[in-house]
Amino acid sequence: MTASRSRQVGRFAWRVGVLLLGLALAGGAHAEKLTVGVLKLASSGPVFLAQDLGYFREAGLEVEFKFFEAAQPVAVATVSGDLDVGVTGVTAGFYNLAGKGALKIIAAQAREEPGYRLVAVVASRKADEAGLKRLEDLPGHAAAVTQVGSTFHYSLGLLAERHGFDIGKVRVVPMQSVPNVVSAVKGSQVEAAILPATAATPLVNAGEARLLAWADETPWQVAVVFTSPKMIGTRRDALERFVAAYRRGTEAFREAFLAKAPDGRLVPGPQADRDLAIIARYTGQSAESVRGSIPYVDPQARLLVGDIHRQVRWYQGQKLVDPGVDPRGVLDLSFVPGHLDVPN
Amino acid sequence: MPEGQALQPERRPVAFRGGGFLPRTSRAVGAIGFAVVLLAWQGALAAGWISPVFLPSPVEVALALRDLAASGELWRHLSISLYRIVLGWSFGTAAGLGVGSAMALFSLARSLGMPMISALFPIPKIALLPLLILWLGIGETSKVATIGLGVFFPTAIATYSGIDNVSRTLIRMAQSFGIPFGAIVCKVALPGALPSILSGMRISASIALLLVVSAEMIGAESGIGAFVLSAGNLMQTDQLVAGVAVLSVLGLLVGAALSAAEKALLSWR
Amino acid sequence: MKLAVDVRRHAYDDLLVLSDVSFTVADGEVVCIVGPSGCGKSTLLGIVGGLVRPTDGTVATEGALRPGTLNPVTFVFQDFALLPWRSVRDNVGFPLEHHRLSSADREARVSDALARTGLADFAGALPKQLSGGMRQRVGIARALAVEPALLLLDEPLSALDAQTRELLMDDFGRLWMGAGITALYVTHNLDEALRLADRIVVLSRRPGRIKDIVSVGIDRPDRTAVAAAPRLAVLRERLWSLIRDEAASADREMARA
């Protein structure tokens, strides 16, 4: 605590220094600095576009990215004040932190939407040969996830509700990382697994696993933009400008990647190649693999508020989120107008 | 020299300058220190110096522990972890004793074993997890193997150097009485290496406790390590600290058991 | 038991340690080997006891063994070589464990050896609880328990203080000298050799060769008498003159090494 406080003091002093320097150089006009935590995934595309196309700069912001390997540390770093804004998937751990009043969700990022394939349920070869052909056959079998209480776990829960099987009868096996899950499927150590499309597709194509289902049937809010209540209290103006510029990013993202022809096929926008190259550069992936993992992002960054409520309740039902957490308390709906599916 | 005459004018007492270098441990001081830390911890949270988001209070941790114990969850996690630790440690120790003895006794084993151990010991076992999953599955085998692997190396090294340091005279003595090779190993070399083997066990038991958390990263639904990991993933910090406390109590108990074993087995030193 | 030693050559790699060391020991005779440090005395004893393989040479014994002899050629070590985790009784019983003996016979041998060496009251003690002299008595009791025909004593008293040495030399006379046990006794202490030996083999510095073999020629019990002192002094002077130059140059050689 004292360390983070001294860090905050240090950052404050530094900010003052930057401010003074900015004043000296530009004679008054200065860019306000925001530190943003993101993962190097295609789903972070809108923030990368907003940065690269200059939307943040035009909003008077100097955004610095900090890259993370997993969602959890982004949330923790935002609570500790090392990050001003985080943009990642929401997990049970996130809700437990947010439930203590440490985090607020302010805008939407990626979500599951029918026709946009983000997450797959696969059966291992051995299980497939033994007759695991449909989702409904899952009860009584072991399904690997990265972590208990992860987005993959919730995906499986939604599928269970929709297909009417009891998730309590599926042995959910945490493997801690995607490569470990892939290993377990390859060796037929588990009968099934929930994996991101980028990891599932090569497995299925190589014949090492069989696709049981895409988890895109029920729309749900996979990833969000969040900040700390303290930021909202002290730097609301900067956050509002950040969200506005971010929404220009989501709009550009939609134009490039999400438009559909009447027959349901995706139609790339005029700037698709340029934007793909930008995202590829930020994520360090090839343009091809980025194209294969483009998720649906609401063009106006509106949240599926009802789903956030449902997530919290579902996790609480699984005893993964503390019963005292109120979904309304983790949301701040004032930054984006017209949120979707808002419960009364 | 006439007594006291020449000495008197410049008489100087010789100042004491020995002593020290004999630190003693006091259980009472240790306990008081522990209590002070707990009180300061609770106090800092009560005074609002530390946000409960960052650290759960000792009372919260104690309550979490009580709930865990009352629901039987604690015992469920603990028993499966103990099973893995005991099994992994036993296999690792048996293999380490065998290989370490062979390296101390036979040129071929020594020539092969030394470079292999040097090459393999420093590999972090966690880095091998995906491979272990592929080879051994996600059942008990890979978890026991992870612990066993971690225990094997320090035991082999301790056994090897222990036997290697057994006085040559004792070996010569046994040979001079025509004692057969096997009996010399069992009655002279291994008992002589026991101090080194036991201090190796102190290290390997700690490693087994450390590795149970790693081992339970692989598809474990229960176990104290899996419990700590999942509490971390879920940001349930009170549960996390409770699990860690259980692990450290386990460490204390193992340490005490080994001290008792040393006292009983090495009284001859 | 008679002993014939004929070591033509013994070398570690290129370092010649012993050269042309040939002598015999008669049945029941006590022969001391003296010589400067590093002359290969202990190596020679190792060769005689079958613990060191000579580069070129043979060692042979001759003579009938008593029926109770379990380990005809038996060592007594300088640093006692006791198993520190075993009690006095179990140390003495250690060499008996791999022999087919009735447990009564085994216990009788141990108790007898302990009684003769005055250790009966210390049977349950651990070596660390004993003085150096008592520890060496355990080493001797262990050697006696197997009823040896040839004792090989490797500087058995050099780790002890002068008074303890005196006491143990008395014990030696009482325990095995004159009991028909042949002995080869390595020491660097001339007085010890003059007190115990029938003959004294003097070795040169490395490579060890026999410089001379000196017969003491005084009855052992008489040697502590005042009357024997002048003759012993002459013998001592003769031994010392054989060794002095060797010892001095060996000392310088060690210092340079």
Side-chain angles (χ1 to χ4, degrees):
Chain A
M1 186 58 192
T2 48
S4 93
R5 198 166 268 171
S6 78
R7 247 196 328 269
Q8 283 173 358
V9 171
R11 201 166 43 237
F12 176 72
W14 191 77
R15 259 187 220 132
V16 171
V18 167
L19 188 74
L20 291 175
L21 191 72
L23 285 172
L25 289 177
H30 70 277
E32 187 166 356
K33 209 171 138 74
L34 275 181
T35 308
V36 177
V38 290
L39 271 59
K40 290 187 173 181
L41 296 175
S43 53
S44 304
V47 252
F48 297 146
L49 293 182
Q51 174 84 324
D52 213 69
L53 301 174
Y55 301 157
F56 289 134
R57 203 169 45 249
E58 284 164 26
L61 295 172
E62 190 196 331
V63 166
E64 188 201 346
F65 289 136
K66 296 267 190 231
F67 293 101
F68 286 77
E69 296 293 327
Q72 186 90 339
V74 182
V76 176
T78 308
V79 172
S80 71
D82 292 281
L83 296 175
D84 299 320
V85 176
V87 187
T88 64
V90 271
T91 62
F94 177 92
Y95 289 122
N96 278 324
L97 260 184
K100 290 180 179 159
L103 292 171
K104 295 271 186 202
I105 298 172
I106 56 174
Q109 199 225 35
R111 76 173 192 232
E112 287 283 10
E113 185 73 14
Y116 299 88
R117 292 169 164 178
L118 217 56
V119 171
V121 183
V122 298
S124 72
R125 203 161 42 180
K126 219 188 259 174
D128 176 51
E129 283 159 11
L132 180 60
K133 304 287 185 192
R134 302 175 313 143
L135 275 181
E136 288 78 357
D137 300 331
L138 268 181
H141 292 93
V145 296
T146 51
Q147 291 173 356
V148 168
S150 62
T151 54
F152 300 113
H153 193 181
Y154 180 67
S155 263
L156 188 65
L158 281 182
L159 284 169
E161 267 174 32
R162 196 174 175 89
H163 290 262
F165 63 87
D166 181 2
I167 187 153
K169 297 219 169 87
V170 180
R171 229 154 49 81
V172 175
V173 184
M175 305 293 294
Q176 305 308 326
S177 74
V178 169
N180 284 356
V181 176
V182 169
S183 249
V185 172
K186 272 188 181 169
S188 286
Q189 319 287 3
V190 287
E191 286 135 325
I194 300 93
L195 279 167
T198 43
T201 310
L203 276 178
V204 171
N205 288 347
E208 302 201 74
R210 202 178 114 100
L211 185 72
L212 289 182
W214 289 102
D216 62 345
E217 295 162 351
T218 309
W220 71 276
Q221 194 66 56
V222 179
V224 297
V225 179
F226 55 89
T227 186
S228 65
K230 197 161 146 208
M231 279 289 295
I232 295 175
T234 55
R235 299 179 65 198
R236 187 175 182 97
D237 169 59
L239 283 174
E240 276 173 355
R241 279 184 284 144
F242 175 84
V243 171
Y246 170 70
R247 292 176 73 197
R248 290 179 71 191
T250 55
E251 182 54 40
F253 192 79
R254 184 196 69 82
E255 247 173 58
F257 306 119
L258 303 178
K260 274 187 177 173
D263 62 356
R265 274 184 314 110
L266 287 172
V267 181
Q271 301 294 346
D273 286 340
R274 178 200 67 182
D275 293 353
L276 211 54
I278 293 172
I279 298 171
R281 198 169 70 238
Y282 278 94
T283 57
Q285 298 170 5
S286 71
E288 257 334 286
S289 73
V290 170
R291 197 198 303 275
S293 56
I294 291 285
Y296 186 85
V297 178
D298 184 79
Q300 292 156 49
R302 293 166 301 181
L303 288 158
L304 293 177
V305 179
D307 176 62
I308 301 279
H309 286 245
R310 183 171 55 179
Q311 286 187 34
V312 172
R313 280 197 309 274
W314 187 82
Y315 283 130
Q316 284 171 336
Q318 300 289 316
K319 297 204 166 107
L320 299 172
V321 165
D322 299 333
V325 175
D326 178 3
R328 276 168 304 191
V330 306
L331 290 159
D332 187 329
L333 303 179
S334 62
F335 285 85
V336 173
H339 283 297
L340 307 167
D341 189 20
V342 184
N344 297 323
Chain B
M1 186 161 54
E3 235 171 84
Q5 269 183 9
L7 221 56
Q8 208 65 46
E10 301 210 11
R11 188 186 157 95
R12 277 188 299 264
V14 174
F16 176 69
R17 51 189 172 176
F21 298 96
L22 262 178
R24 270 175 293 190
T25 50
S26 153
R27 266 165 204 263
V29 172
I32 291 168
F34 197 65
V36 166
V37 168
L38 281 182
L39 276 174
W41 176 3
Q42 182 75 41
L45 279 155
W49 296 337
I50 302 178
S51 153
V53 175
F54 289 91
L55 193 66
S57 73
V59 173
E60 278 178 301
V61 173
L63 288 176
L65 266 176
R66 194 200 59 188
D67 291 348
L68 272 175
S71 65
E73 286 286 282
L74 181 65
W75 179 240
R76 187 171 68 87
H77 289 304
L78 204 54
S79 57
I80 185 76
S81 285
L82 282 176
Y83 165 80
R84 286 166 185 152
I85 291 171
V86 168
L87 213 61
W89 186 84
S90 306
F91 278 128
T93 299
L97 282 174
V99 171
S101 304
M103 278 166 51
L105 297 169
F106 305 110
S107 305
L108 180 67
R110 180 175 299 208
S111 316
L112 284 173
M114 276 320 277
M116 289 219 189
I117 284 196
S118 306
L120 296 178
F121 187 27
I123 295 178
K125 311 300 172 272
I126 303 167
L128 294 177
L129 276 187
L131 276 180
L132 284 172
I133 297 170
L134 273 179
W135 298 340
L136 303 171
I138 56 166
E140 293 307 305
T141 323
S142 55
K143 299 177 182 66
V144 170
T146 306
I147 297 173
L149 213 56
V151 167
F152 167 77
F153 290 104
T155 309
I157 291 169
T159 309
Y160 163 75
S161 65
I163 293 180
D164 213 42
N165 284 329
V166 169
S167 154
R168 289 297 102 183
T169 319
L170 290 184
I171 307 281
R172 275 168 61 100
M173 180 276 290
Q175 288 178 326
S176 79
F177 283 106
I179 312 283
F181 178 81
I184 294 180
V185 173
C186 295
K187 293 179 176 178
V188 180
L190 283 175
L194 197 59
S196 170
I197 291 173
L198 279 177
S199 65
M201 282 183 179
R202 206 173 262 287
I203 297 168
S204 73
S206 314
I207 288 180
L209 284 176
L210 285 176
L211 282 180
V212 77
V213 179
S214 311
E216 289 176 358
M217 285 176 76
I218 335 166
E221 294 137 83
S222 52
I224 202 76
F227 174 77
V228 166
L229 281 169
S230 121
N233 288 338
L234 298 174
M235 288 309 289
Q236 292 168 330
T237 47
D238 53 342
Q239 312 261 322
L240 175 76
V241 177
V244 168
V246 169
L247 277 174
S248 70
V249 167
L250 218 53
L252 281 176
L253 289 178
V254 169
L258 276 168
S259 293
E262 275 180 1
K263 221 172 219 172
L265 294 173
L266 301 182
S267 58
W268 48 269
R269 283 206 298 184
Chain C
M1 192 160 83
K2 283 194 278 188
L3 172 71
V5 179
D6 182 18
V7 177
R8 277 185 282 279
R9 220 179 89 80
H10 184 71
Y12 292 116
D13 296 326
D14 290 339
L15 185 68
L16 188 61
V17 182
L18 294 168
S19 175
D20 292 315
V21 178
S22 291
F23 60 94
T24 57
V25 183
D27 193 23
E29 191 184 17
V30 178
V31 169
C32 280
I33 300 173
V34 298
S37 310
C39 71
K41 301 187 291 279
S42 291
T43 306
L44 179 61
L45 210 61
I47 291 172
V48 174
L51 295 178
V52 176
R53 195 191 297 279
T55 312
D56 180 12
T58 54
V59 176
T61 60
E62 189 190 317
L65 296 175
R66 277 181 313 207
T69 298
L70 298 176
N71 191 52
V73 180
T74 296
F75 274 85
V76 174
F77 294 90
Q78 176 179 0
D79 47 7
F80 326 133
L82 303 181
L83 300 175
W85 52 88
R86 284 177 173 237
S87 67
V88 167
R89 183 191 294 111
D90 292 345
N91 262 293
V92 175
F94 175 66
L96 307 177
E97 286 169 13
H98 76 286
H99 288 286
R100 290 182 176 278
L101 294 173
S102 70
S103 60
D105 189 4
R106 190 170 298 152
E107 273 168 36
R109 277 172 182 265
V110 172
S111 321
D112 179 52
L114 290 178
R116 286 168 68 193
T117 48
L119 288 166
D121 292 342
F122 301 90
L126 286 170
K128 70 166 180 183
Q129 298 168 295
L130 302 179
S131 68
M134 292 301 270
R135 287 186 208 181
Q136 191 55 294
R137 284 192 178 89
V138 179
I140 292 158
R142 178 177 61 193
L144 295 178
V146 294
E147 296 192 29
L150 170 63
L151 269 183
L152 303 176
L153 301 104
D154 188 0
E155 307 209 22
L157 304 182
S158 62
L160 305 174
D161 63 78
Q163 290 165 16
T164 312
R165 243 192 323 250
E166 285 293 327
L167 292 171
L168 273 166
M169 280 193 276
D170 287 347
D171 285 358
F172 285 171
R174 184 168 54 78
L175 287 171
W176 50 268
M177 289 175 166
I181 297 178
T182 312
L184 200 53
Y185 189 115
V186 164
T187 179
H188 61 262
N189 185 318
L190 299 181
D191 297 320
E192 218 172 290
L194 284 169
R195 171 90 169 271
L196 300 172
D198 293 309
R199 285 186 299 148
I200 299 168
V201 174
V202 181
L203 288 186
S204 70
R205 72 188 179 94
R206 196 175 58 223
R209 296 170 208 272
I210 295 181
K211 280 201 87 170
D212 202 352
I213 299 181
V214 177
S215 287
V216 178
I218 306 171
D219 280 349
R220 230 183 323 263
D222 297 343
R223 294 183 198 175
T224 45
V226 179
R231 284 176 66 193
L232 284 172
V234 172
L235 280 170
R236 192 182 192 289
E237 189 52 39
R238 183 173 155 209
L239 288 172
W240 181 233
S241 67
L242 283 168
I243 289 174
R244 176 197 274 130
D245 293 345
E246 301 281 345
S249 50
D251 188 39
R252 278 195 295 279
E253 184 181 351
M254 302 286 279
R256 271 202 306 275

